[in-house]
Amino acid sequence: MGLIANGLYALFRHPEERDRLEATGCDAAPMATAVEELLRYDPPVHIAVRTALTEAEVGDTRVPRGTILTLMLNAANRDPGVYADPHRLDLRRTGRHLAFGLGPHFCLGAPLARLEAQLMLPALLRGRPELAEDRVTYGCGFVARRVQRLRVRLTRRPPL
Ligand code: HEM
């Protein structure tokens, strides 16, 4: 559920982006694009761990065989060499991100997680949610970085 809470919190912090998204009617296509950007901007899983099976070079760094590597997916998602203005939430941005990893261990649950967010966020937005408390805390495990509790007030009854 980290994607929905982190994503909704990002929308609260970027009211212009939220307004623009809502102006699209939160239709399937703009919503799918927005969910990808929310994944890039504040990924709920921020670390992947690997062991170097062979000696390798990463940039200027020599990585000896057997090294345990902690890969920061959230940092990669803000790489200025890849993304223009990487710290800006732009819900119309397109392109790849590493929120679900990459390669053979790519997240098996990615289609489910995407679908949940694509359905749940518009449903929540239809209720015109407002943040119900100022202080929002993240629960940070080694691998996950998720909004721990997000109290919201729906200001209208969501239409069925
Ligand atoms: C927004 C929600 C989710 C995020 C951000 C996420 C993120 C990730 C990431 C980054 C990896 C790669 C880890 C690595 O490379 O070491 C991964 C792997 C995996 N995820 Fe997810 N995940 C999410 C939801 C789910 C769900 C809902 C399921 C299951 C229903 C799931 C099942 C898995 C499995 C089984 C793997 C391991 C795949 C492998 O090692 O081959 N994930 N996930």
Side-chain angles (χ1 to χ4, degrees), residues 31-50:
M31 202 61 222
T33 304
V35 165
E36 295 310 301
E37 172 68 352
L38 292 169
L39 279 160
R40 180 196 75 84
Y41 186 77
D42 193 4
V45 175
H46 65 149
I47 278 177
V49 179
R50 293 288 184 274

Side-chain angles (χ1 to χ4, degrees), residues 3 36 39 73 97-102 105-107 109-111 113-114:
L3 170 55
E36 295 310 301
L39 279 160
L73 303 175
H97 58 73
L98 294 181
F100 290 120
L102 186 72
H105 294 287
F106 184 83
C107 177
R114 284 180 160 130

Side-chain angles (χ1 to χ4, degrees), residues 56-123:
E57 295 260 320
V58 181
D60 297 334
T61 307
R62 193 182 66 82
V63 179
R65 181 167 174 264
T67 306
I68 294 173
L69 299 158
T70 302
L71 311 176
M72 303 298 298
L73 303 175
N74 51 355
N77 278 356
R78 302 280 187 104
D79 183 345
V82 176
Y83 306 100
D85 205 357
H87 299 304
R88 189 163 68 84
L89 181 78
D90 173 0
L91 296 175
R92 291 177 299 180
R93 193 192 293 268
T94 54
R96 296 171 64 190
H97 58 73
L98 294 181
F100 290 120
L102 186 72
H105 294 287
F106 184 83
C107 177
L108 279 180
L112 176 62
R114 284 180 160 130
L115 187 63
E116 283 175 348
Q118 289 164 10
L119 296 176
M120 194 65 193
L121 286 173

